[in-house]
Amino acid sequence: MKRILLLNCGPHSDASHGYRLAREVLAATGIGPVSITERDLVQSPLPSIGRDYAIALTSGAAHEVPEFACSEQLIVELEQHAMLFIVTPMHNFTVPATLKLWLDHVIRINRSFEATPQGKVGSIHDRPTFVLVSSGGFFAGERARQADFLTPYLRYALASIGISDVHFFPLQGLVFGPEAVAQAVHAAGQQLSEKLHAQLSFNLANQPVMTA
Ligand SMILES: Cc1cc2nc3c(=O)[nH]c(=O)nc-3n(C[C@H](O)[C@H](O)[C@H](O)COP(=O)(O)O)c2cc1C
């Protein structure tokens, strides 16, 4: 069974263009049994990073302390899935706060990465990761009129824990009316289907996955 962790990060939850497209493409793959775990970061918000967590983190507390319970749960969940699929809007040129908070829980020193004299070294096995990025305007290609801090930031943040097989799919121009939305969904859907089909057929079954 191929296991996919689907993170849904936007305020529209299951009504978002990105989520609906992701589910449609996943349903249409037709490649053997796939199990999808969904985490909706708006419907089920994560706890904010409080003082207790910050103190535990910087004082080198053991993994088992209650302050790390949520962080630990999210890291184990990630480790248990052969593929990560992030569905996110662009908010003010970068990731929405929901996804940033997930990253703050998952990127943890001495757990998901080690600090070495050469820099941070990830401890999570690499795995194919798709990022479907919806935006009202354009941030990629010739119509882009705004900075994109989302793509480089997320690529860097995921690489810090060992995930570098990351593929971005823009779903952009969503404020320009139904025709523009239909075009954007069609273009992103084609890219996604091709890449997903390739991943599920050839790569996913061979990914090493740690279990808790
Ligand atoms: C708080 C907020 C900030 C936003 N910032 C941007 C932005 O920087 N660039 C952009 O193109 N669209 C921006 N948008 C528009 C959203 O990206 C867009 O509505 C969303 O991605 C729609 O996709 P969905 O239907 O998949 O949720 C923003 C929307 C909100 C609510």
Side-chain angles (χ1 to χ4, degrees), residues 118-154:
Q118 288 72 43
K120 292 175 180 174
V121 176
S123 314
I124 305 289
H125 282 294
D126 200 5
R127 68 208 61 221
T129 294
F130 283 14
V131 187
L132 180 56
V133 184
S134 359
S135 60
F138 290 84
F139 63 90
E142 56 190 33
R143 292 185 68 184
R145 298 290 181 273
Q146 61 185 323
D148 170 18
F149 296 102
L150 188 155
T151 309
Y153 166 69
L154 193 53

Side-chain angles (χ1 to χ4, degrees), residues 21 25 132 170-171 183-194:
L21 177 62
V25 169
L132 180 56
L171 177 58
Q183 273 176 15
V185 167
H186 180 72
Q190 262 189 335
Q191 282 185 341
L192 262 177
S193 312
E194 279 165 28

Side-chain angles (χ1 to χ4, degrees), residues 10-12 15-19 89-94 134-138 146 171 174-175:
H12 299 300
S16 81
H17 295 97
Y19 174 82
M90 171 178 276
H91 277 179
N92 296 317
F93 323 113
T94 188
S134 359
S135 60
F138 290 84
Q146 61 185 323
L171 177 58
L174 298 179
V175 295

Side-chain angles (χ1 to χ4, degrees), residues 2 17 34 39 42 50 52 63 66 73 80 88 92 105 109 111 114 116 120 151 161 183 186-187 191 194 201 207 210:
K2 295 154 186 170
H17 295 97
V34 173
R39 181 173 279 283
V42 169
D52 290 352
H63 296 327
Q73 185 194 350
Q80 287 176 335
T88 184
N92 296 317
H105 281 286
I109 191 162
R111 178 62 175 89
E114 302 295 326
T116 78
K120 292 175 180 174
T151 309
I161 57 170
Q183 273 176 15
H186 180 72
Q191 282 185 341
E194 279 165 28
S201 304
Q207 290 294 315
M210 287 174 59

Side-chain angles (χ1 to χ4, degrees), residues 52-53 56 62-71:
D52 290 352
Y53 180 90
H63 296 327
E64 297 76 25
V65 299
E67 290 82 352
F68 289 151
C70 176
S71 165

